[in-house]
Amino acid sequence: MNKARTFTLAVLGAVAACSPMAADAGQKATQSAAPTTHPVSGLPVIPLTIAPAGKPHAFRVEVARTEPEQARGLMFRTEMGADEGMIFPMSPPRDAAFWMKNTVIPLDIVFIAPDHRIANIAANAVPYSLAPIPSAGEVMGVLELNGGRAAQLGIKAGDRVDW
């Protein structure tokens, strides 16, 4: 369930998946600010913040920019840290849908509107499912987190996401 495949609703073409990045709790602030690379995917890892109820929560997320990176996403991953995830930037913004093909762990799929606000969240997407999970309108990005993490942190539609 550690991945979802992305495809636009118009074409339903697969393009997304997820993958996590672990931050070393012992790193100094200067080290954590430096760009890092995920040891499994080789993707860049960046900070991302969501502010549920005005209380910012920091994540470290892998960035899947290219179509092949998005198509692979978090497929075949068996674990992901609590504050890890994968972001799928979309430029230009568009309607999107994900699926859980070859994704082992449950995921929360967070659809981010062009104004950086959460449009909708598909909570606990079912591992291996081929059912499309659509955005509620055009999105500039999609964030995948561990299943149940959004509810645990009180993250909801309308919250701001910055990366």
Side-chain angles (χ1 to χ4, degrees), residues 82-96:
D83 292 327
E84 298 175 352
M86 182 175 276
I87 186 79
F88 301 82
M90 297 182 177
S91 183
R94 61 186 177 268
D95 288 341

Side-chain angles (χ1 to χ4, degrees), residues 83-108:
D83 292 327
E84 298 175 352
M86 182 175 276
I87 186 79
F88 301 82
M90 297 182 177
S91 183
R94 61 186 177 268
D95 288 341
F98 278 60
W99 63 1
M100 296 296 291
K101 180 178 181 181
N102 297 320
T103 304
V104 180
I105 61 172
L107 296 174
D108 286 346

